[in-house]
């Protein structure tokens, strides 16, 4: 066992003495030492149940003959940080969580691990850590929050952000805003639409790192505790059989994950995160691969933000297993290994069937949309590639004058003060991985636009990101970013911008090259601490915005 390095032999008596001090006896020390890593925090509902799940996972580990060793790492909650300087910490936290798991597990030579994750960046970080360490491991998502109810309709935090825009436009009262605020988030769990958390939870299952069906279980469902216990037992099976993450994470697994994202109109953040996970797994994955997947995969779920239903309702309709079953029937999934030791197709065969009459998931032959909800664009404004997020009502072509803003805050103020007009192409720059730093999400802006009735009347492009709750005709991850000399940094107010989904082009006829000679790198917004370190290390968004060599 790896842990023999810290516990076996006379010279390890000091280490054993410290382990005894934690309450472990000689038998417990002799067993495999299994990390239980979680991102519990009481700052938000997203990770609120993970400490309880850690106890259940520990019970499963003990029952299967192992000894659990618990660690807690950080979480940054996007729903709270959104629209503030704190959002710069969000993507950075993905790297910090991954690094901290590596340091804790490798620093103690532990034999295996269960990683419990809850919100947007904790989920890809779990997969990145599993791939990087490549020891037997299982990931489990803490589960979606239950949806709120208002006027007989399901609501999530998405509707709160949009209500802010409606309130700013004078469309709803203070009292109405407070009512929406109070009803949207009823308890523990991550944001309830097919936003980044639920998208990435499905990705974990598609990659084979989580047992199929367990991530579907809601955070407050009593069955979630049983799921965590099962993961604790399962990780000992992985250790016994020598089953490791990189045995599971092959090219076919990533192709399956990309198809699942496309089929559920999932968050564009999945592109960034899957590139980063592939980087850690040593699997070749390019941004163009996502275009291949999206172009060939129809949207077969009716999920928020663009659709009607929440993750809870999708689980009731059959969940991930039902989505995978429909894609498999159409020849759109490949069989691949999973953490259970059974193949993905075997897991799909064993999963629950969809109930009759459900309206959330359709067969491929009766899809909601003919292709996935995003496309990869290139052009003189983004030669490395960027992501166009398409909603059901989005036009194929948008052309208009640039309205240029140097930060999210400046743009949000312009939206709320009525300075944005139909036909404008909003440009928010210097929000990229290095320039932000941290590549903030523009949900406050996109939601305010929707709330003011401009969601389908303007376009928006940025070197930052978009929340999974964002929708409309929006282009993000523009690379190279402005801070590193990207063409988006050369645009001027009024420049004509063309975003053409059919040609997969984002371009301008402005004379950018004549401006380049006078361009200077903007002054760094942060000059010390972790954000400054991240800005120096981080790579292009087109390659996952990773900091690991």
């Amino acid at each position: 066992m790896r842990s023999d390095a810290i516990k076996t032999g006379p010279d390890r008596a000091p280490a054993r003495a410290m382990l005894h001090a934690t309450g472990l006896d000689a038998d417990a020390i002799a067993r495999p030492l299994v990390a239980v890593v979680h991102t519990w925090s009481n700052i938000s509902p997203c990770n609120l149940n993970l400490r309880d799940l850690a106890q259940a996972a520990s019970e499963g580990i003990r029952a299967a003959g192992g000894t659990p060793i618990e660690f807690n790492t950080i979480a940054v909650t996007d729903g709270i940080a959104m629209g503030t300087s704190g959002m710069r910490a969000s993507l950075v936290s993905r790297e910090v969580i991954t690094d901290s798991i590596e340091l804790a597990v490798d620093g103690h030579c532990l034999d295996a691990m269960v990683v419990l994750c809850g919100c947007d960046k904790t989920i890809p970080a779990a997969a990145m850590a599993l791939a990087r360490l490549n020891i037997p491991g299982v990931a489990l998502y803490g589960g979606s929050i239950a949806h709120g109810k208002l006027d007989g309709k399901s609501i999530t935090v998405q509707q709160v952000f949009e209500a802010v825009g409606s309130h700013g436009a004078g469309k709803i009262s203070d009292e109405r805003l407070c009512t929406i605020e109070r009803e949207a988030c009823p308890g523990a769990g991550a944001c309830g639409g097919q936003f980044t958390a639920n998208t990435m939870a499905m990705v974990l299952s598609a990659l084979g790192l989580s047992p199929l069906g367990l991530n579907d279980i809601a955070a407050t469902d009593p069955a979630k505790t049983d799921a965590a216990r099962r993961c604790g037992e399962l990780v000992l099976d992985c250790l016994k059989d020598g089953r490791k993450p990189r045995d599971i994470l092959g090219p076919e697994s990533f192709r399956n994950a990309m198809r699942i994202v496309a089929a559920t109109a999932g968050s564009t953040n999945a592109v960034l995160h899957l590139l980063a996970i592939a980087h850690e797994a040593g699997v070749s994955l390019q941004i163009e691969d996502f275009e291949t997947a999206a172009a060939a995969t129809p949207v077969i779920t009716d999920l928020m933000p663009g659709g009607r239903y929440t993750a809870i309702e999708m689980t009731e309709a059959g969940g991930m297993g039902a989505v995978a079953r429909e894609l498999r029937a159409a020849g759109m999934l490949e069989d691949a290994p999973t953490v259970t030791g059974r193949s993905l197709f075997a897991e799909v065969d064993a999963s629950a069937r969809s109930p009759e009459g459900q309206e959330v998931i359709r067969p491929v032959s009766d899809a909601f949309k003919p292709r996935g909800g995003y496309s990869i664009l290139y052009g003189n404004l983004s030669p490395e590639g960027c992501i166009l997020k398409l909603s059901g009502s989005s036009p194929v072509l948008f052309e208009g004058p640039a309205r240029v803003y140097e930060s999210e805050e400046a743009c949000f103020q312009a939206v709320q003060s009525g300075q944005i007009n139909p036909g404008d192409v909003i440009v928010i720059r210097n929000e990229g991985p290095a320039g932000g730093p941290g590549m903030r999400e523009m949900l406050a802006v996109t939601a305010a636009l929707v709330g003011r009735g401009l969601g389908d009347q303007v376009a928006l492009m940025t070197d930052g990101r978009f929340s999974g709750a964002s929708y409309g005709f929006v282009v993000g991850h523009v690379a190279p970013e402005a801070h590193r000399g990207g063409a988006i940094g050369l645009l001027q107010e009024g420049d004509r911008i063309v975003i053409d989904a059919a040609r997969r082009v984002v371009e301008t006829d402005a004379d950018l090259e004549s401006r380049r000679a006078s361009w200077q790198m903007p002054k760094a917004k942060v000059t010390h601490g972790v954000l400054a370190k991240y800005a120096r290390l981080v790579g292009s968004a087109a390659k996952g915005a990773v900091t690991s060599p």
Side-chain angles (χ1 to χ4, degrees):
M1 291 184 288
R2 275 169 42 104
S3 60
D4 286 340
I6 64 164
K7 68 185 185 184
T8 301
D11 60 334
R12 301 313 304 160
R16 290 194 297 272
M18 298 190 76
L19 291 170
H20 285 310
T22 69
L24 298 182
D25 60 21
D27 287 342
I29 294 171
R31 299 184 188 113
L33 301 185
V34 180
V36 179
V37 187
H38 57 84
T39 55
W40 175 86
S41 169
N42 65 358
I43 190 63
S44 77
C46 311
N47 300 280
L48 196 58
N49 62 328
L50 296 186
R51 194 159 56 176
D52 293 335
L53 296 184
Q55 294 176 357
S58 296
E59 291 171 4
I61 290 167
R62 291 189 191 96
T67 296
I69 306 292
E70 186 177 348
F71 294 100
N72 185 208
T73 185
I74 68 163
V76 174
T77 304
D78 292 8
I80 292 175
M82 196 73 69
T84 74
S85 61
M87 191 62 192
R88 293 193 174 100
S90 174
L91 186 59
V92 180
S93 75
R94 185 190 74 180
E95 312 305 301
V96 172
I97 295 164
T98 304
D99 292 349
S100 66
I101 295 173
E102 176 192 0
L103 294 173
V105 174
D106 260 0
H108 300 93
C109 301
L110 301 181
D111 299 300
M113 60 181 178
V114 175
V115 187
L116 306 171
C117 45
C119 60
D120 295 7
K121 309 310 172 296
T122 70
I123 304 170
M128 291 165 69
L130 286 164
R132 183 186 296 180
L133 287 164
N134 198 35
I135 64 173
V138 181
L140 178 67
Y141 171 51
S144 177
I145 193 171
H147 52 76
K149 280 289 186 182
L150 188 66
D151 303 330
K153 297 181 180 179
S154 301
I155 65 168
T156 71
V157 73
Q158 171 193 343
Q159 282 70 40
V160 186
F161 278 100
E162 292 172 5
V164 171
S166 297
H167 180 267
K171 294 182 177 182
I172 63 173
S173 66
D174 292 348
E175 292 75 17
R176 180 66 172 177
L177 178 61
C178 288
T179 299
I180 296 170
E181 170 189 328
R182 287 193 301 268
E183 297 298 326
C185 301
C191 297
Q194 190 66 349
F195 312 149
T196 303
N198 285 313
T199 299
M200 292 308 299
M202 293 186 75
V203 163
L204 287 181
S205 299
L207 289 175
L209 297 176
S210 295
L212 187 67
L214 298 194
N215 287 347
D216 293 345
I217 302 170
T220 54
D221 189 325
K224 201 72 185 189
T225 301
D226 295 332
R229 189 176 296 108
R230 167 65 182 135
C231 287
E233 296 168 347
L234 178 60
V235 77
L236 269 297
D237 289 341
C238 294
L239 182 62
K240 176 183 177 182
D241 296 338
R243 192 159 57 247
K244 298 178 181 179
R246 290 193 193 177
D247 300 330
I248 297 166
L249 294 172
E252 66 281 1
S253 298
F254 284 92
R255 288 192 291 268
N256 286 339
M258 289 187 288
R259 288 286 181 92
I260 288 290
V261 173
T264 59
S267 170
T268 52
N269 282 313
V271 176
L272 198 73
H273 297 325
L274 276 165
L275 287 168
I277 297 165
H279 174 79
E280 297 293 351
V283 173
S284 177
L285 192 66
Q286 308 299 322
I287 192 171
E288 181 64 14
D289 294 330
F290 292 86
E291 175 67 26
T292 302
T297 311
V299 175
I300 62 171
T301 60
D302 188 12
L303 297 172
M304 293 181 183
R308 295 176 293 169
Y309 298 106
T310 67
I312 299 294
E313 291 158 320
M314 190 179 80
T315 296
E316 293 168 352
M320 169 71 178
V323 175
R325 188 177 296 112
E326 297 297 346
L327 292 179
R328 177 191 176 186
M332 292 182 175
L333 284 187
E334 302 171 57
D335 207 4
T338 76
V339 71
T340 66
R342 298 193 297 182
S343 74
L344 178 63
F345 286 0
E347 293 291 334
V348 171
D349 288 340
S351 63
R353 301 282 163 173
S354 299
E356 292 293 331
Q358 62 84 20
E359 299 181 351
V360 185
I361 304 165
R362 289 182 179 177
V364 168
S365 59
D366 186 31
F368 291 99
K369 290 175 58 180
R371 61 158 291 150
Y374 62 87
S375 182
I376 307 301
L377 308 186
Y378 303 89
N380 65 353
L381 289 176
S382 186
E384 291 182 5
C386 57
I387 304 172
L388 169 65
K389 188 167 189 176
L390 293 163
S391 66
S393 60
S394 294
V396 175
L397 173 68
F398 200 105
E399 182 176 351
R403 302 295 307 279
V404 181
Y405 300 93
E406 303 297 339
S407 70
E408 179 189 11
E409 288 89 349
C411 183
F412 182 74
Q413 184 59 41
V415 173
Q416 290 295 76
S417 59
Q419 298 177 37
I420 302 300
N421 301 309
D424 286 344
V425 179
I426 301 167
V427 177
I428 307 176
R429 65 190 182 195
N430 292 306
E431 290 286 6
M439 205 177 178
R440 291 190 293 178
E441 294 176 347
M442 304 294 117
L443 177 58
V445 172
T446 59
L449 288 168
V450 171
R452 298 180 75 89
L454 291 170
D456 58 354
Q457 298 182 50
V458 299
L460 192 159
M461 64 177 295
T462 179
D463 51 9
R465 296 182 293 126
F466 293 109
S467 165
S470 293
Y471 62 101
F473 201 68
V474 295
V475 177
H477 306 206
V478 171
E481 61 176 292
H483 188 77
R484 288 180 169 165
I488 189 175
L490 304 175
L491 286 168
Q492 295 178 0
E493 191 81 6
D495 283 347
R496 182 65 50 177
I497 295 175
V498 175
I499 304 170
D500 190 335
R503 293 192 297 127
R504 296 178 55 207
V505 164
V506 54
E507 62 187 5
T508 182
D509 56 8
D511 186 3
L512 301 179
E513 290 310 309
S514 67
R515 301 172 188 173
R516 189 173 295 281
S518 60
W519 179 84
Q520 293 183 334
M521 179 181 289
K523 184 179 179 181
K525 296 173 184 173
V526 182
T527 57
H528 69 283
V530 66
L531 292 181
K533 179 170 64 175
Y534 177 86
R536 287 195 297 270
L537 292 174
V538 70
S540 170
K543 296 184 177 181
V546 297
T547 59
S548 175

